[in-house]
Amino acid sequence: MKYYDQHLHTSLSFDSDETFENYLKHQPEYFTATDHFDLKNPGTNFADEIPDYNELSRSLNSLSETYETNFLRGVEIGVVPGQESDIEDYLRKHPYDLKLVSIHQNGRFDYMDPAVLKKNKYDVVKMYFDQMDRVLDTFKDGHILTHFEYGLRQFDFSKKELEENFERELTSIFKKVINREMAVEINAKSFGPYKNAELYHYAVPLYQSLGGKLFTLGSDAHKAEDYQMLFPEMSAMLKIFDVNHLVVFQGKERYITKLPDSE
């Protein structure tokens, strides 16, 4: 099995209008969209953003009649403390093959909201990492922890600043990821557009030093042209740290694959 993109969005997400068919022009062996699930989303006036599961099922059933691709159901779950039981109730009734766990917002604001820039950056990031740490205790589902630095994206943060101010928080987070046998995502939006590749050069060896071995690459594409964006560059970064394999999740099964550029 070749590695495939495990983080992308379609028109079933509130912030994308991309079609399944445009992604399928890349002729992937496997395809899974991971559309946004965010309850009381501040970015949409606190609406519940839940991808239409029935529409997803109809689309995949229809596409499977035309394409040789293997289709899987995926979702990106944004978790705010206090929402865990509601999310878990939904997931029991709507099974997914791939579940990403993300921290996007805290019930009051999204960490990408411009208003965040009026706050002290260290206070915001402490809040963000504390939320992530708590969620890993209280929300028991999920395969992959995505874009660990989402809450830092609006600020200038160096690798040294991360180490000096938040190594304790990240150590706790990564230990919980390891204990839960989740993977850590290398996120293309973080790596490229948000210019946070340096932060991964700190986080990857820290995670490894604690026993972490499971990595994924995700484009976080919201349009088909970004499918597998920066995969060669992110693979090259992982090779620096002697990482030569990635993990793919398909329900209760997981598979180890080679880095995309080392097939």
Side-chain angles (χ1 to χ4, degrees):
M1 177 192 302
K2 291 185 176 181
Y3 186 79
Y4 55 90
D5 203 335
Q6 291 187 95
H7 189 166
L8 51 88
H9 299 273
T10 73
S11 58
L12 295 180
S13 286
F14 69 91
D15 56 356
S16 173
D17 58 7
E18 191 55 277
T19 66
F20 290 90
E21 288 83 356
N22 282 340
Y23 282 112
L24 294 173
K25 291 176 183 178
H26 294 279
Q27 299 181 322
E29 179 185 4
Y30 289 87
F31 177 84
T32 178
T34 52
D35 286 301
H36 285 296
F37 182 110
D38 278 275
L39 299 180
K40 296 179 174 57
N41 182 11
T44 55
N45 292 318
F46 298 95
D48 288 341
E49 297 297 343
I50 301 174
D52 189 323
Y53 192 87
N54 291 331
E55 178 61 27
L56 172 65
S57 298
R58 285 192 295 269
S59 295
L60 298 188
N61 289 337
S62 176
L63 291 167
S64 66
E65 296 176 359
T66 305
Y67 294 87
E68 295 183 1
T69 298
N70 297 287
F71 292 99
L72 302 166
R73 291 173 173 81
V75 64
E76 181 182 5
I77 307 161
V79 187
V80 174
Q83 298 178 349
E84 295 91 342
S85 62
D86 290 337
I87 298 171
E88 289 163 358
D89 286 345
Y90 182 88
L91 294 176
R92 276 192 288 271
K93 299 171 187 174
H94 303 84
Y96 288 94
D97 303 296
L98 173 63
K99 288 169 274 192
L100 311 184
V101 177
S102 300
I103 305 299
H104 295 127
Q105 49 104 355
N106 61 9
R108 302 185 304 280
F109 57 81
D110 190 288
Y111 289 98
M112 288 295 291
D113 191 313
V116 170
L117 288 171
K118 298 178 182 179
K119 304 177 185 296
N120 178 279
K121 74 175 189 177
Y122 295 104
D123 292 342
V124 171
V125 174
K126 180 70 165 64
M127 182 190 311
Y128 170 73
F129 283 141
D130 284 349
Q131 179 179 340
M132 183 180 293
D133 188 71
R134 179 178 173 186
V135 163
L136 288 169
D137 279 333
T138 60
F139 181 69
K140 302 300 184 181
D141 212 337
H143 298 105
I144 301 169
L145 180 67
T146 65
H147 42 50
F148 85 97
E149 50 56 78
Y150 183 90
L152 291 71
R153 286 179 172 180
Q154 294 209 81
F155 305 108
D156 290 326
F157 256 94
S158 68
K159 182 170 71 171
K160 182 178 180 182
E161 281 182 292
L162 197 60
E163 179 179 8
E164 291 180 347
N165 294 279
F166 298 108
E167 183 162 298
R168 182 179 63 83
E169 287 82 359
L170 281 170
T171 295
S172 177
I173 287 166
F174 288 149
K175 283 182 176 179
K176 291 174 183 179
V177 168
I178 293 164
N179 288 338
R180 290 180 50 172
E181 298 185 327
M182 297 175 70
V184 168
E185 177 197 67
I186 313 300
N187 182 278
K189 292 286 181 65
S190 308
F191 203 83
Y194 289 105
K195 304 184 188 307
N196 279 335
E198 179 186 18
L199 302 186
Y200 284 96
H201 280 263
Y202 167 68
V204 168
L206 175 61
Y207 171 63
Q208 289 176 306
S209 73
L210 301 168
K213 298 179 180 179
L214 300 179
F215 293 93
T216 67
L217 303 182
S219 69
D220 202 353
H222 286 65
K223 51 187 178 180
E225 66 192 67
D226 289 338
Y227 180 77
Q228 294 192 337
M229 179 174 69
L230 298 178
F231 274 27
E233 292 84 353
M234 294 189 292
S235 293
M237 184 272 292
L238 286 175
K239 283 185 175 181
I240 294 172
F241 301 107
D242 295 321
V243 177
N244 295 297
H245 295 86
L246 302 172
V247 61
V248 167
F249 294 94
Q250 297 181 0
K252 294 182 179 179
E253 302 297 326
R254 62 181 64 189
Y255 302 94
I256 302 300
T257 72
K258 293 181 180 179
L259 290 175
D261 64 346
S262 61
E263 294 288 349

